[in-house]
Amino acid sequence: MSQLIDRVRRSLNAIQRDEESLRAWAHVNAERALDHAYLIEDMLSQGLDLPVGGMTIGVKDIVNVAGMPTSAGFAPWVENVAQDDAAVIRRLRRAGVVIMGKTVTTQFAASDPAETRNPWNLDCTPGGSSSGSAVAVAAQHVDVALGTQTAGSILRPAAYCGVIGFKPTFGAIPTDGMLAYAPSFDTLGMLARSVADIFRVYFASIDAQPDAPIEQSLPSPRIGIWADALAHAGESMRDAVIDAIEQLAQSGAQVFDAICPLAFDNAVAIHRTIVRPEAAIVHAENLACHPEHYGPKLRATIEVGSVIPASAYAKAQFLRNEYRAMIERHWSSFDLIAIPTTSTTAPTRDTTGDHDLQAFASLFGFPALTIPIGFDRDQLPIGLQLIAPRRGADEHLLRHALWVEQFMPQMPLPPYASEPGE
Amino acid sequence: MPNRTSQTEHSNIKKALARTLAELFGDDRVAANDEEIDRTADALRRVHRLSASTQIRSAQASNS
């Protein structure tokens, strides 16, 4: 049996073994995944150039994969089989990925917790909304999983589950074939266990070639520490992040204080004032048809979004554009802004966690990445968030993240994931 | 700590939101809880307070 087929079989076995405890998968079709692997194997043996040939992926269940259901965690849509691939899936298929299935999302990528468990502690949330994607990567079911972020839905679950999460610049990856939540912010991205894997899948997703070989990192970044955001995190998170940044400074990074022209709480307010009305518009008709199937948090979001005045929404959009330009100028000398990814480590499963610290990059469309830097005293992972404070600096951020990664701990297999290879 | 004016503004916005929600969805069917309304009122107050004057200034500059 070839290496790829063997790997896919082992992943399918691990998914099956872990599903009862972790509940990361909404849909898996083993036969199709194997057929796909044989096809990729054949293409690779013919010497075809496939940039991500043989990488296994899970796809968040709000992104269409032809022939698989797009259920979005919504009971009436359990058998809602997609006829066509989303644009990003078409690109990734051409580049050679093996699609293992659809990963669990919170309902419509909002805040009502899904059934998925955190593989570091089953009583903790894996975060949301890309819950299944983060768990599938942490449990080594797949190499990479696609996620989406409107506030913090890639970075937060990635941090809670101890994997790397990347939210590219808003609009970098086409969202055709993906369910909307708040179209001003909805962004496709990916989660993986290495920056190099993120890099490869990101470039396949934007259908482009990087400027230099993937292995080429950008050393010695100029890092800004934003104290206003740091203050939003708990003490142990702040200490862990400061320790990690000190380690980077000792390794050659230049570290400075970064003053933001916009107060942290005001950034969160602008984000909230835009997201809620957009979610209300997206969901108005469906909620009217199926009110009993909506989660209480999403329903509350939609209701409140319906009564936010148009003038407040319009002003928030003005402010967003104005402050983005100001921040891009103000922070132009920084390669990275470093802040904690989350305010705490993974809380209990009655919430998906606090999204405020991740919402800043979402608000302005900046690329952002979270990388694991260790554990708290309960052995739950901690993430460091790196933001490139200008749109379009995705490759720049990824190359700096390659450099940062070498100084950070290698994450072990979580205790509630089964050993791969069995 | 918000000052007295901010607290009054916050309270007024919160009341207006709760009233409109009840009118739109019906008193007994509103899912939005106090925390959701409270946080949204705070967001609206902050957005209201933030100056969009740069927009106006740049518009004035381009018109002059």
Side-chain angles (χ1 to χ4, degrees), chain A residues 232-299:
Chain A
H232 192 78
E235 194 179 343
S236 60
M237 298 296 283
R238 286 203 299 272
D239 291 348
V241 163
I242 289 167
D243 285 350
I245 294 169
E246 271 175 13
Q247 193 179 348
L248 295 176
Q250 284 165 15
S251 308
Q254 301 171 70
V255 179
F256 307 88
D257 288 329
I259 309 293
C260 186
L262 179 65
F264 179 82
D265 288 338
N266 288 339
V268 173
I270 294 171
H271 184 268
R272 190 180 188 89
T273 307
I274 299 171
V275 163
R276 273 154 176 71
E278 293 196 0
I281 291 164
V282 166
H283 282 280
E285 285 178 30
N286 199 44
L287 176 64
C289 294
H290 305 282
E292 71 281 13
H293 291 293
Y294 269 71
K297 290 185 180 180
L298 176 54
R299 198 169 156 181

Coordinates of all heavy atoms in Angstrom, one line a residue, chain A residues 232-299:
Chain A
H232 N -6.5 43.4 28.4 CA -7.8 42.7 28.3 C -7.7 41.2 28.7 O -8.7 40.6 28.9 CB -8.3 42.8 26.9 CG -9.7 42.4 26.7 ND1 -10.8 43.2 27.1 CD2 -10.3 41.3 26.3 CE1 -11.9 42.6 26.8 NE2 -11.7 41.4 26.3
A233 N -6.5 40.7 28.7 CA -6.3 39.3 29.1 C -6.0 39.1 30.5 O -5.6 40.0 31.3 CB -5.1 38.7 28.3
G234 N -6.3 37.9 31.0 CA -6.0 37.5 32.4 C -4.5 37.5 32.7 O -3.7 37.5 31.8
E235 N -4.2 37.6 34.0 CA -2.8 37.8 34.4 C -1.9 36.7 33.8 O -0.8 36.9 33.3 CB -2.7 37.9 35.9 CG -1.3 38.4 36.4 CD -1.3 38.4 37.9 OE1 -2.4 38.4 38.5 OE2 -0.2 38.5 38.4
S236 N -2.3 35.4 34.0 CA -1.4 34.3 33.5 C -1.2 34.3 32.0 O -0.1 34.0 31.5 CB -2.0 33.0 34.0 OG -3.3 32.8 33.4
M237 N -2.3 34.8 31.3 CA -2.1 34.9 29.8 C -1.1 36.0 29.5 O -0.2 35.8 28.6 CB -3.4 35.2 29.2 CG -4.5 34.2 29.3 SD -4.1 32.6 28.6 CE -4.4 33.0 26.9
R238 N -1.2 37.1 30.2 CA -0.3 38.2 29.9 C 1.1 37.8 30.2 O 2.0 38.1 29.4 CB -0.7 39.4 30.9 CG -1.9 40.2 30.5 CD -1.8 41.6 31.0 NE -1.8 41.6 32.5 CZ -2.9 41.6 33.3 NH1 -4.1 41.6 32.8 NH2 -2.7 41.6 34.6
D239 N 1.3 37.1 31.3 CA 2.7 36.7 31.7 C 3.3 35.8 30.6 O 4.4 35.9 30.3 CB 2.7 36.0 33.1 CG 2.4 37.0 34.2 OD1 2.4 38.2 33.9 OD2 2.1 36.5 35.3
A240 N 2.4 34.8 30.2 CA 2.9 33.8 29.2 C 3.3 34.5 27.9 O 4.3 34.2 27.3 CB 1.8 32.8 29.0
V241 N 2.5 35.5 27.5 CA 2.7 36.2 26.3 C 4.0 37.1 26.4 O 4.8 37.1 25.5 CB 1.5 37.0 25.9 CG1 1.8 38.1 24.8 CG2 0.4 36.1 25.3
I242 N 4.1 37.7 27.5 CA 5.3 38.6 27.7 C 6.6 37.7 27.7 O 7.6 38.0 27.1 CB 5.2 39.4 29.0 CG1 4.1 40.5 28.8 CG2 6.5 40.0 29.4 CD1 3.7 41.2 30.0
D243 N 6.5 36.5 28.4 CA 7.7 35.6 28.4 C 8.0 35.2 26.9 O 9.2 35.1 26.6 CB 7.3 34.3 29.2 CG 7.3 34.6 30.7 OD1 7.8 35.7 31.1 OD2 6.9 33.7 31.4
A244 N 7.0 34.9 26.2 CA 7.2 34.4 24.8 C 7.9 35.6 24.0 O 8.8 35.3 23.2 CB 5.9 34.0 24.1
I245 N 7.4 36.8 24.2 CA 8.0 37.9 23.4 C 9.4 38.2 23.9 O 10.3 38.5 23.1 CB 7.1 39.2 23.6 CG1 5.7 38.9 22.9 CG2 7.7 40.4 22.9 CD1 4.7 39.9 23.2
E246 N 9.7 38.0 25.2 CA 11.0 38.2 25.7 C 12.0 37.2 25.0 O 13.1 37.5 24.7 CB 11.1 38.0 27.2 CG 10.9 39.4 27.9 CD 10.8 39.2 29.4 OE1 11.1 38.2 29.9 OE2 10.3 40.2 30.0
Q247 N 11.5 36.0 24.9 CA 12.3 34.9 24.2 C 12.6 35.3 22.8 O 13.7 35.1 22.3 CB 11.5 33.6 24.3 CG 12.4 32.4 23.9 CD 11.6 31.1 24.0 OE1 10.5 31.0 24.5 NE2 12.2 30.1 23.5
L248 N 11.6 35.9 22.1 CA 11.8 36.3 20.7 C 12.8 37.5 20.7 O 13.7 37.5 19.8 CB 10.5 36.8 20.1 CG 9.5 35.6 19.9 CD1 8.2 36.2 19.3 CD2 10.0 34.5 19.0
A249 N 12.7 38.4 21.7 CA 13.7 39.5 21.7 C 15.1 39.0 21.9 O 16.1 39.5 21.3 CB 13.3 40.4 22.9
Q250 N 15.3 38.0 22.8 CA 16.6 37.4 23.0 C 17.1 36.7 21.8 O 18.3 36.5 21.6 CB 16.5 36.4 24.2 CG 16.5 37.0 25.5 CD 16.1 36.1 26.6 OE1 16.1 34.8 26.4 NE2 15.7 36.6 27.7
S251 N 16.2 36.3 20.9 CA 16.6 35.6 19.6 C 16.8 36.6 18.5 O 17.0 36.2 17.3 CB 15.6 34.6 19.3 OG 15.3 33.7 20.4
G252 N 16.6 37.9 18.7 CA 16.9 38.9 17.7 C 15.8 39.8 17.3 O 16.0 40.7 16.5
A253 N 14.6 39.5 17.8 CA 13.4 40.4 17.4 C 13.6 41.8 18.1 O 14.2 41.8 19.2 CB 12.1 39.8 17.9
Q254 N 13.2 42.8 17.5 CA 13.2 44.2 18.1 C 11.8 44.4 18.7 O 10.8 44.3 17.9 CB 13.6 45.2 17.1 CG 15.0 45.0 16.5 CD 15.2 45.9 15.4 OE1 15.4 47.1 15.6 NE2 15.2 45.4 14.2
V255 N 11.7 44.7 19.9 CA 10.4 44.9 20.6 C 10.2 46.3 21.1 O 11.1 46.9 21.7 CB 10.3 43.9 21.7 CG1 8.9 44.0 22.4 CG2 10.5 42.4 21.3
F256 N 9.0 46.8 20.8 CA 8.6 48.2 21.1 C 7.2 48.3 21.7 O 6.4 47.4 21.5 CB 8.7 49.1 19.9 CG 9.9 49.0 19.1 CD1 10.1 48.1 18.1 CD2 11.0 49.9 19.3 CE1 11.3 48.0 17.4 CE2 12.2 49.9 18.6 CZ 12.3 48.9 17.6
D257 N 6.9 49.3 22.4 CA 5.5 49.6 22.8 C 4.8 50.1 21.6 O 5.3 50.9 20.8 CB 5.5 50.6 23.9 CG 6.0 50.1 25.2 OD1 5.8 48.8 25.4 OD2 6.5 50.8 26.0
A258 N 3.6 49.6 21.4 CA 2.8 50.1 20.3 C 1.5 50.8 20.8 O 0.7 50.2 21.5 CB 2.4 48.9 19.4
I259 N 1.4 52.1 20.5 CA 0.2 52.8 20.9 C -0.8 52.8 19.8 O -0.4 53.2 18.7 CB 0.6 54.3 21.3 CG1 1.8 54.4 22.3 CG2 -0.6 55.0 21.9 CD1 1.5 53.8 23.6
C260 N -2.0 52.5 20.0 CA -3.0 52.4 19.0 C -3.8 53.7 19.0 O -4.2 54.1 20.1 CB -3.9 51.2 19.1 SG -5.0 51.0 17.8
P261 N -4.1 54.3 17.8 CA -4.9 55.5 17.8 C -6.4 55.2 18.3 O -7.1 56.2 18.5 CB -4.9 56.0 16.4 CG -3.9 55.1 15.7 CD -3.6 53.9 16.5
L262 N -6.8 54.0 18.3 CA -8.1 53.6 18.7 C -8.1 52.7 20.0 O -7.4 51.7 20.0 CB -8.8 52.8 17.6 CG -10.2 52.3 17.8 CD1 -11.2 53.5 17.9 CD2 -10.7 51.4 16.6
A263 N -8.9 53.1 21.0 CA -8.9 52.3 22.2 C -9.4 50.9 21.9 O -10.4 50.8 21.1 CB -9.8 53.0 23.3
F264 N -8.9 49.9 22.6 CA -9.3 48.6 22.4 C -10.8 48.4 22.5 O -11.5 47.8 21.6 CB -8.6 47.6 23.4 CG -9.0 46.2 23.2 CD1 -8.3 45.4 22.3 CD2 -9.9 45.6 24.0 CE1 -8.7 44.1 22.1 CE2 -10.3 44.3 23.8 CZ -9.6 43.5 22.9
D265 N -11.5 48.9 23.5 CA -12.9 48.7 23.7 C -13.7 49.4 22.6 O -14.8 48.9 22.3 CB -13.3 49.3 25.1 CG -12.9 48.4 26.2 OD1 -12.6 47.2 26.0 OD2 -12.7 48.9 27.4
N266 N -13.2 50.5 22.1 CA -13.9 51.1 21.0 C -13.8 50.3 19.7 O -14.8 50.3 18.9 CB -13.3 52.5 20.7 CG -13.7 53.5 21.8 OD1 -14.7 53.3 22.6 ND2 -13.0 54.6 22.0
A267 N -12.7 49.6 19.5 CA -12.6 48.7 18.3 C -13.7 47.6 18.4 O -14.3 47.3 17.5 CB -11.2 48.1 18.2
V268 N -13.8 47.1 19.6 CA -14.8 46.0 19.8 C -16.2 46.5 19.6 O -17.0 45.9 19.0 CB -14.6 45.4 21.3 CG1 -15.8 44.5 21.6 CG2 -13.3 44.8 21.5
A269 N -16.4 47.8 20.0 CA -17.7 48.4 19.8 C -18.1 48.6 18.4 O -19.2 48.3 17.9 CB -17.8 49.7 20.6
I270 N -17.1 49.0 17.6 CA -17.3 49.3 16.2 C -17.7 47.9 15.5 O -18.6 47.8 14.7 CB -16.1 49.9 15.5 CG1 -15.9 51.3 16.1 CG2 -16.3 50.0 14.0 CD1 -14.6 52.0 15.6
H271 N -16.9 46.9 15.8 CA -17.1 45.6 15.3 C -18.5 45.1 15.6 O -19.2 44.6 14.7 CB -16.0 44.6 15.8 CG -16.1 43.2 15.2 ND1 -16.9 42.2 15.8 CD2 -15.5 42.7 14.1 CE1 -16.7 41.1 15.1 NE2 -15.9 41.4 14.0
R272 N -18.9 45.2 16.8 CA -20.2 44.7 17.2 C -21.4 45.5 16.5 O -22.3 44.9 16.1 CB -20.4 44.9 18.7 CG -21.6 44.3 19.4 CD -21.6 44.5 20.9 NE -22.6 43.8 21.5 CZ -22.5 42.5 22.0 NH1 -21.3 41.9 21.9 NH2 -23.5 41.9 22.6
T273 N -21.2 46.8 16.3 CA -22.2 47.6 15.7 C -22.4 47.3 14.2 O -23.4 47.5 13.6 CB -21.9 49.1 15.9 OG1 -21.7 49.3 17.3 CG2 -23.0 50.0 15.4
I274 N -21.4 46.7 13.6 CA -21.5 46.3 12.2 C -22.0 44.8 12.1 O -22.8 44.5 11.2 CB -20.1 46.5 11.5 CG1 -19.7 48.0 11.5 CG2 -20.2 46.0 10.0 CD1 -18.3 48.2 11.0
V275 N -21.4 44.0 12.9 CA -21.7 42.5 12.8 C -23.2 42.2 13.0 O -23.8 41.5 12.2 CB -20.9 41.7 13.8 CG1 -21.5 40.3 13.9 CG2 -19.4 41.5 13.3
R276 N -23.8 42.8 14.0 CA -25.1 42.4 14.3 C -26.2 42.7 13.3 O -27.0 41.9 12.9 CB -25.5 43.0 15.7 CG -25.0 42.0 16.8 CD -24.8 42.5 18.1 NE -24.4 41.4 19.0 CZ -23.3 40.7 19.0 NH1 -22.4 40.9 18.0 NH2 -23.1 39.7 19.8
P277 N -26.2 43.9 12.7 CA -27.2 44.2 11.7 C -26.9 43.3 10.4 O -27.9 42.9 9.8 CB -27.0 45.7 11.3 CG -26.3 46.3 12.5 CD -25.5 45.2 13.1
E278 N -25.7 43.0 10.1 CA -25.4 42.2 8.9 C -25.9 40.8 9.2 O -26.5 40.2 8.3 CB -23.9 42.2 8.6 CG -23.5 43.6 8.1 CD -22.1 43.6 7.4 OE1 -21.5 42.5 7.3 OE2 -21.7 44.7 7.0
A279 N -25.7 40.2 10.4 CA -26.2 38.9 10.7 C -27.7 38.9 10.7 O -28.4 37.9 10.2 CB -25.7 38.5 12.1
A280 N -28.3 40.0 11.1 CA -29.8 40.1 11.1 C -30.3 40.0 9.7 O -31.3 39.4 9.4 CB -30.2 41.4 11.8
I281 N -29.7 40.7 8.8 CA -30.1 40.7 7.4 C -30.0 39.3 6.8 O -30.9 38.8 6.1 CB -29.3 41.8 6.6 CG1 -29.7 43.2 7.0 CG2 -29.6 41.6 5.1 CD1 -28.8 44.3 6.5
V282 N -28.8 38.7 7.0 CA -28.5 37.4 6.4 C -29.5 36.4 6.9 O -30.0 35.5 6.1 CB -27.1 37.0 6.8 CG1 -26.9 35.5 6.5 CG2 -26.0 37.8 6.1
H283 N -30.0 36.5 8.2 CA -30.8 35.4 8.7 C -32.3 35.7 8.8 O -33.1 34.9 9.2 CB -30.3 35.1 10.1 CG -29.0 34.2 10.1 ND1 -29.1 32.8 9.8 CD2 -27.7 34.5 10.1 CE1 -27.9 32.3 9.8 NE2 -27.0 33.3 10.0
A284 N -32.7 36.9 8.5 CA -34.1 37.3 8.7 C -35.1 36.3 8.2 O -36.0 35.9 8.9 CB -34.3 38.7 8.2
E285 N -35.0 36.0 6.9 CA -36.0 35.1 6.3 C -36.0 33.7 6.9 O -37.0 33.1 7.2 CB -35.8 35.0 4.8 CG -36.2 36.3 4.1 CD -35.9 36.2 2.6 OE1 -36.0 35.1 2.0 OE2 -35.7 37.2 2.0
N286 N -34.8 33.2 7.1 CA -34.6 31.8 7.6 C -35.1 31.7 9.0 O -35.8 30.7 9.4 CB -33.2 31.3 7.5 CG -33.0 29.8 7.6 OD1 -33.8 29.1 6.9 ND2 -32.1 29.4 8.3
L287 N -34.8 32.7 9.8 CA -35.3 32.7 11.2 C -36.8 32.8 11.3 O -37.5 32.1 12.1 CB -34.7 33.9 12.0 CG -35.2 34.1 13.4 CD1 -34.8 32.9 14.3 CD2 -34.7 35.4 14.0
A288 N -37.4 33.5 10.4 CA -38.9 33.6 10.3 C -39.5 32.2 10.0 O -40.6 31.9 10.5 CB -39.3 34.7 9.3
C289 N -38.8 31.5 9.2 CA -39.3 30.1 8.8 C -39.1 29.1 9.9 O -39.9 28.2 10.0 CB -38.7 29.6 7.5 SG -39.1 30.6 6.1
H290 N -37.9 29.2 10.6 CA -37.5 28.1 11.5 C -37.1 28.6 12.9 O -36.0 28.3 13.3 CB -36.3 27.3 10.9 CG -36.5 26.8 9.6 ND1 -37.3 25.6 9.4 CD2 -36.1 27.2 8.4 CE1 -37.3 25.3 8.1 NE2 -36.5 26.3 7.4
P291 N -37.9 29.5 13.5 CA -37.4 30.1 14.8 C -37.0 29.0 15.8 O -36.1 29.2 16.6 CB -38.6 30.9 15.2 CG -39.8 30.4 14.5 CD -39.3 29.8 13.2
E292 N -37.7 27.9 15.8 CA -37.5 26.9 16.9 C -36.2 26.2 16.7 O -35.7 25.5 17.6 CB -38.7 25.9 16.9 CG -38.7 24.9 15.7 CD -39.3 25.5 14.4 OE1 -39.5 26.7 14.3 OE2 -39.6 24.7 13.5
H293 N -35.6 26.3 15.5 CA -34.3 25.6 15.3 C -33.1 26.4 15.6 O -31.9 26.0 15.4 CB -34.2 25.0 13.9 CG -35.2 23.9 13.7 ND1 -35.1 22.7 14.3 CD2 -36.3 23.8 12.9 CE1 -36.1 21.9 13.9 NE2 -36.8 22.5 13.1
Y294 N -33.3 27.7 15.8 CA -32.2 28.6 16.1 C -31.7 28.5 17.5 O -32.5 28.5 18.4 CB -32.5 30.1 15.7 CG -32.3 30.4 14.3 CD1 -33.0 29.9 13.3 CD2 -31.2 31.3 14.0 CE1 -32.8 30.2 11.9 CE2 -30.9 31.6 12.6 CZ -31.7 31.1 11.6 OH -31.5 31.4 10.3
G295 N -30.3 28.6 17.7 CA -29.8 28.6 19.0 C -30.1 29.9 19.7 O -30.2 31.0 19.0
P296 N -30.2 30.0 21.0 CA -30.6 31.2 21.7 C -29.6 32.4 21.5 O -30.0 33.5 21.4 CB -30.7 30.8 23.1 CG -29.9 29.5 23.2 CD -30.0 28.9 21.9
K297 N -28.3 32.1 21.4 CA -27.4 33.2 21.3 C -27.4 33.8 19.9 O -27.4 35.1 19.7 CB -25.9 32.7 21.6 CG -25.7 32.4 23.0 CD -24.3 32.0 23.4 CE -24.3 31.7 24.9 NZ -22.9 31.3 25.3
L298 N -27.6 33.0 18.9 CA -27.7 33.5 17.5 C -29.0 34.3 17.4 O -29.0 35.4 16.8 CB -27.6 32.4 16.5 CG -27.8 32.8 15.0 CD1 -26.8 33.9 14.6 CD2 -27.6 31.6 14.1
R299 N -30.0 33.7 17.9 CA -31.3 34.4 17.8 C -31.3 35.8 18.5 O -31.8 36.8 18.0 CB -32.4 33.5 18.5 CG -33.8 33.9 18.1 CD -34.8 32.9 18.5 NE -36.1 33.5 18.6 CZ -37.2 32.9 19.0 NH1 -37.1 31.6 19.4 NH2 -38.3 33.6 19.1

